[in-house]
Amino acid sequence: MTEPTEPGALDLEIPDFDPKRTRRAVRAGVMRTASTVLAVLLVICLLATAGSAWIQRRGDREKRMYDVLGTALQVANPGYRIRLGETSASPLSLSLEVGVSPLRAYGGFSAGAAFADRKEEITQDFFGRVRRPPLGDDTDTSLTHALYDIGTGNDPKEEMRRVLARLPETMRALAVVEFAEPMSSAELAAFARRYGECPEIVVYEKRPRATPITWEMAMRPSSMDLPGGGECSDSPSQTLEGFQGWVGMLREHDEHNLRKFGLDLARLRKAAAEGAAYAYVSELSQVAVLRKVVEDPRVTTVRVADIAFDLRKP
């Protein structure tokens, strides 16, 4: 028998247990909890990704990647035209897109990294260490082999005279001019003016059967305020200034990454301090001019790495 309810008391009636309603309520609770957890995890992932990308680009890391690593790739691979593209960051690495094309005797035209013969990436990990750099040991270009021969005595004058004699004098050539004794920047500029030559790449090291240290006159790291313009034959002093400026900005902790590119700080500093030009590369020398250059007593030899007709000339 039901007890009488006291006046003013609440009349609470406990419903009968409904298994279906209970299962629906449990499922709804689980779904709400799962949705909340997933939303929190998504926010954490987004923050972690954005935060890690910011960390990868912290300070001057992105700028130094261009100036140090991008330039090191160019210095280590003078047989290629290297063009730097955009950077991209992941939670654990920072990458720089590079465009790579073998250097040929077709002039100074160059598009951006996206239009190069092949696209590669320089990648450094969270701690700034470079993984396997682009190209690696792939240095199989005609210009690279001509640079290997500096100081070896290969391709002597007599042989190169015969090569140049067989070529039409209006033909253009990608050539390496090697000196019997290294020249200063002023001496190289005077030599270039005499023959109307353009030392687009200057070789600052004699390293037989290996890639020597070189610097291209067009290389201008963004952190360096270097002059430009003027006559191409007068460029050696600016070229040396650019090379010395770049070496001066290198730090001891760059040594590990430089070695990945086949360079080391001691060699670079020695070459920059001496500033001696052992040879130069001209991308569009006329064969008629090279026939005169090879006869200069200060020249050991002239190595023709590539040739092309200048279709603009009759």
Side-chain angles (χ1 to χ4, degrees):
M1 186 174 76
T2 305
E3 295 291 334
T5 304
E6 295 183 4
L10 294 174
D11 186 9
L12 298 176
E13 183 178 354
I14 300 174
D16 294 333
F17 177 73
D18 186 341
K20 291 184 178 180
R21 291 181 63 186
T22 301
R23 284 195 295 271
R24 285 198 298 269
V26 170
R27 282 198 297 268
V30 170
M31 292 298 294
R32 282 195 298 270
T33 302
S35 299
T36 302
V37 171
L38 287 174
V40 171
L41 290 175
L42 179 61
V43 170
I44 291 173
C45 288
L46 290 174
L47 290 175
T49 301
S52 62
W54 176 82
I55 291 172
Q56 291 294 340
R57 291 188 166 101
R58 68 189 182 276
D60 65 348
R61 292 184 92 230
E62 194 170 13
K63 192 168 184 293
R64 280 187 65 80
M65 190 170 198
Y66 274 97
D67 290 348
V68 176
L69 302 185
T71 304
L73 181 64
Q74 293 173 296
V75 173
N77 297 280
Y80 293 87
R81 177 78 73 204
I82 309 289
R83 287 294 174 257
L84 307 182
E86 301 295 324
T87 59
S88 58
S90 71
L92 297 177
S93 65
L94 183 66
S95 297
L96 170 62
E97 180 190 40
V98 294
V100 181
S101 300
L103 201 56
R104 303 293 302 274
Y106 48 64
F109 173 77
S110 176
F115 297 94
D117 289 340
R118 56 194 274 196
K119 288 193 290 185
E120 301 275 358
E121 281 188 343
I122 303 172
T123 302
Q124 63 180 21
D125 63 21
F126 187 83
F127 301 101
R129 297 296 184 95
V130 173
R131 301 172 187 172
R132 194 183 79 85
L135 294 173
D137 297 327
D138 183 14
T139 56
D140 191 21
T141 73
S142 57
L143 177 57
T144 306
H145 289 298
L147 292 170
Y148 285 164
D149 283 335
I150 292 175
T152 64
N154 294 340
D155 303 318
K157 265 190 179 186
E158 296 75 15
E159 181 179 328
M160 296 314 298
R161 282 193 189 103
R162 291 193 292 271
V163 170
L164 292 169
R166 291 197 298 266
L167 298 174
E169 64 176 16
T170 57
M171 181 173 278
R172 295 285 179 170
L174 172 68
V176 177
V177 177
E178 181 183 348
F179 298 122
E181 297 292 337
M183 292 188 178
S184 66
S185 290
E187 290 170 333
L188 177 56
F191 181 92
R193 282 195 298 272
R194 177 176 179 179
Y195 294 103
E197 280 283 83
C198 185
E200 283 142 316
I201 299 174
V202 179
V203 181
Y204 290 111
E205 182 186 42
K206 180 158 64 174
R207 197 171 177 231
R209 299 178 180 83
T211 305
I213 291 171
T214 63
W215 189 265
E216 184 183 349
M217 69 176 184
M219 286 174 7
R220 292 289 188 270
S222 60
S223 60
M224 296 160 51
D225 184 17
L226 295 173
E231 294 295 327
C232 186
S233 58
D234 294 325
S235 65
S237 61
Q238 294 180 14
T239 302
L240 179 59
E241 183 182 359
F243 176 49
Q244 291 175 332
W246 179 69
V247 173
M249 68 180 283
L250 298 176
R251 303 168 186 169
E252 297 299 330
H253 65 71
D254 292 318
E255 178 74 21
H256 173 273
N257 288 341
L258 290 172
R259 288 187 178 277
K260 287 287 187 179
F261 292 96
L263 304 170
D264 68 70
L265 209 47
R267 276 178 55 215
L268 289 167
R269 286 173 174 169
K270 181 176 183 292
E274 292 175 352
Y278 290 86
Y280 72 87
V281 178
S282 179
E283 296 177 22
L284 274 176
S285 290
Q286 198 170 44
V287 168
V289 173
L290 293 178
R291 289 176 184 173
K292 297 175 183 178
V293 169
V294 77
E295 299 301 334
D296 194 299
R298 294 168 293 179
V299 172
T300 297
T301 192
V302 173
R303 296 182 178 90
V304 175
D306 190 38
I307 53 176
F309 278 107
D310 187 349
L311 299 178
R312 296 168 297 182
K313 301 291 184 181

